[in-house]
Amino acid sequence: LIIMLISFFEEFPTKNNLNKLNLITFPTKLYLAAKSLNEFNQIKSTIKNKFIKEFIYWPTLEIKEGYWISPFTKRRALKRIFEELKNNPTSTMLDLEWPLTKNPFLFLTQSLNFSRNKKLIRNFINNHKEKVYLCEYYPEGKKKDWFLEKMGLHYNNKKAKIIKMFYHSMHPSFNKDFFRKELQRGKELHQNNFIASFGTIAIGMKGNEPILTKEQLSQDLKIAKENNIQEVIIFRLGGLNQEYLNIIKTNT
């Protein structure tokens, strides 16, 4: 039986949130949000936890630029992010989401750039010298995958690692069967490049995310383990406490 790796997102890498790393005494990976590669490297240099196997750069943009990555993100922001990564072999995660709640005007202003922006994102995924992780909306079957692909929020690329957001606290209707089926489908489609993300154990950028119960996290991890999912990422580090930690340790 494989040992499931439990990793963490941290969208707000403040001192308080990063202090939660003191609780971690098992191999993990940390996906760190930052506004630039410089900021990411600076934050990384302050972290002294020997259990972190890999740091992944998670670029976030200004709200007026779209915050997340999509073909509706401001073109110059995409160019800036990809340019700074050109000669820097840093493992990178693109958080592929609509700019919806943050800046809906981008749907109008960037519609002319849609195809060019989509191509820009695809080229980055194809050509980046280090690992590329793509964080995507929760799965809802083949039709949704096709739609996300057309919208530039899903890219079929054998080298990219696909992270699907199975946020049970935000989608209470996900029952066990659906959960199991979609984990299996993700594994079949992407094999070892498939990663499941669980949460949320702390609020994110929306500011009103419901918090996952300990019982639900336990059940989610159990199902992932039964289906031989190799890595699960929990959103997010700042919400880690002793009770969640006990559940994680029981299920690795």
Side-chain angles (χ1 to χ4, degrees):
L1 191 71
I2 61 156
I3 290 179
M4 190 163 67
L5 182 73
I6 308 276
S7 306
F8 293 90
F9 285 129
E10 189 41 76
E11 190 166 15
F12 313 112
T14 60
K15 195 165 182 288
N16 271 357
N17 287 331
L18 292 175
N19 274 345
K20 295 295 176 88
L21 288 170
N22 296 331
L23 295 169
I24 292 177
T25 54
F26 50 85
T28 190
K29 282 158 67 178
L30 188 57
Y31 296 75
L32 270 177
K35 290 276 193 272
S36 68
L37 191 57
N38 267 351
E39 188 183 296
F40 166 76
N41 285 327
Q42 195 186 337
I43 298 164
K44 195 173 86 170
S45 69
T46 66
I47 296 171
K48 302 285 182 266
N49 184 314
K50 64 175 191 284
F51 294 100
I52 301 172
K53 293 170 57 168
E54 188 181 0
F55 289 91
I56 295 95
Y57 171 38
W58 165 12
T60 55
L61 310 168
E62 297 301 332
I63 287 172
K64 63 176 185 287
E65 297 173 326
Y67 190 74
W68 295 298
I69 305 282
S70 81
F72 292 103
T73 301
K74 272 216 172 133
R75 185 167 174 78
R76 68 164 180 268
L78 287 177
K79 283 178 141 172
R80 181 182 73 237
I81 290 292
F82 298 150
E83 197 58 46
E84 64 174 5
L85 282 161
K86 216 177 216 167
N87 303 310
N88 282 286
T90 301
S91 290
T92 302
M93 181 189 84
L94 303 184
D95 191 352
L96 299 169
E97 298 186 53
W98 307 115
L100 206 57
T101 53
K102 293 297 155 197
N103 190 348
F105 293 113
L106 289 168
F107 285 112
L108 291 172
T109 62
Q110 292 306 303
S111 56
L112 290 173
N113 287 327
F114 180 86
S115 296
R116 291 196 306 159
N117 283 353
K118 193 173 165 183
K119 193 177 171 191
L120 204 60
I121 297 167
R122 187 183 292 112
N123 287 346
F124 171 77
I125 297 165
N126 289 343
N127 301 320
H128 188 52
K129 299 281 189 287
E130 250 305 338
K131 285 186 209 152
V132 175
Y133 296 82
L134 303 176
C135 189
E136 303 180 351
Y137 285 120
Y138 57 93
E140 281 186 295
K142 284 180 187 166
K143 275 188 185 154
K144 178 83 183 273
D145 282 352
W146 175 85
F147 175 71
L148 289 179
E149 206 168 335
K150 289 280 169 259
M151 288 291 105
L153 298 173
H154 171 72
Y155 294 83
N156 252 333
N157 184 305
K158 290 281 179 274
K159 75 168 230 193
K161 296 187 176 293
I162 307 294
I163 303 164
K164 283 288 187 185
M165 296 188 264
F166 288 83
Y167 292 171
H168 229 132
S169 66
M170 296 175 77
H171 306 282
S173 61
F174 286 180
N175 62 33
K176 270 189 192 176
D177 291 339
F178 168 84
F179 211 68
R180 198 172 277 116
K181 192 176 97 226
E182 287 300 339
L183 280 174
Q184 286 165 353
R185 196 170 73 86
K187 188 96 169 118
E188 274 162 33
L189 277 174
H190 308 292
Q191 322 258 279
N192 292 341
N193 279 344
F194 177 69
I195 300 171
S197 165
F198 295 162
T200 58
I201 67 166
I203 60 166
M205 195 58 188
K206 290 191 177 79
N208 61 355
E209 291 88 343
I211 302 303
L212 193 69
T213 65
K214 296 178 291 298
E215 295 72 24
Q216 190 64 68
L217 179 62
S218 181
Q219 189 188 97
D220 292 352
L221 289 172
K222 227 168 242 136
I223 295 172
K225 199 174 179 182
E226 284 162 11
N227 287 281
N228 284 334
I229 303 300
Q230 294 195 347
E231 182 183 356
V232 164
I233 310 170
I234 292 176
F235 184 93
R236 61 186 172 82
L237 179 69
L240 191 62
N241 59 31
Q242 200 54 54
E243 291 175 312
Y244 282 129
L245 197 62
N246 295 342
I247 287 159
I248 289 165
K249 283 180 173 172
T250 311
N251 286 286
T252 48

